[in-house]
C-alpha cells in the first residue's frame, strides 16, 4: 500500500521504500475555468526523495500548480477572444454575400 504523504511535513522516505518504489508523486487538481466540480485536469509531480516533503516543498508544488492554472486560463481567454473574432468576421462576410439576413 502506498503511504499517504499529504499531511506529513517530516516525510523522509525509507531507503527500502525508495529501492522498491522510486517513483513517489503528488497529484494536484487543476480547477476548471467555470468552477465546476470536475477539475480541468490534474498535474502529477514526482517528488525528490532526497528532500523532506516539508511546508516549503508543498508551497513550491502549489506555486507550480497555480502558475499552470493561470497559464491555462490565459490561453482559454485568448482562444475565446479569437473564437469571438472569427464569429464576428463570419457574420460580416454573411452580410456581404446575403444582405438583409
Amino acid at each position: 500500500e502506498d503511504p499517504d504523504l499529504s499531511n506529513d511535513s517530516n516525510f523522509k522516505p525509507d531507503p527500502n521504500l525508495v529501492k522498491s518504489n522510486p517513483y513517489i508523486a503528488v497529484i494536484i487538481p487543476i480547477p476548471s475555468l467555470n468552477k465546476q466540480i470536475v477539475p480541468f485536469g490534474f498535474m502529477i509531480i514526482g517528488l525528490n526523495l532526497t528532500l523532506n516533503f516539508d511546508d516549503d516543498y508543498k508551497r513550491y508544488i502549489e506555486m507550480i500548480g497555480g502558475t499552470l492554472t493561470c497559464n491555462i486560463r490565459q490561453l482559454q481567454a485568448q482562444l475565446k477572444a479569437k473564437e469571438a473574432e472569427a464569429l464576428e468576421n463570419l457574420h460580416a462576410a454573411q452580410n456581404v454575400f446575403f444582405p438583409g439576413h
Side-chain angles (χ1 to χ4, degrees):
E1 182 176 315
D2 292 332
D4 179 9
L5 307 175
S6 59
N7 294 317
D8 188 357
S9 62
N10 296 316
F11 172 70
K12 189 73 171 175
D14 179 332
N16 294 324
L17 175 65
V18 174
K19 288 177 187 174
S20 65
N21 187 10
Y23 306 106
I24 295 179
V26 210
I27 300 173
I28 309 256
I30 304 299
S32 63
L33 185 61
N34 54 5
K35 308 287 187 205
Q36 293 177 345
I37 295 173
V38 178
F40 177 79
F42 296 91
M43 178 178 59
I44 301 171
I45 298 180
L47 296 179
N48 181 339
L49 298 178
T50 62
L51 300 175
N52 285 328
F53 190 62
D54 58 9
D55 289 338
D56 288 338
Y57 202 166
K58 288 179 186 178
R59 279 192 293 275
Y60 175 70
I61 290 173
E62 289 170 356
M63 180 190 70
I64 293 170
T67 300
L68 180 62
T69 299
C70 182
N71 289 339
I72 288 171
R73 288 187 176 165
Q74 287 176 347
L75 287 172
Q76 287 175 327
Q78 289 172 3
L79 288 174
K80 277 189 172 189
K82 286 182 180 181
E83 187 177 290
E85 183 182 350
L87 191 57
E88 189 176 302
N89 290 339
L90 178 64
H91 287 306
Q94 284 177 333
N95 287 335
V96 169
F97 288 106
F98 306 106
H101 283 90

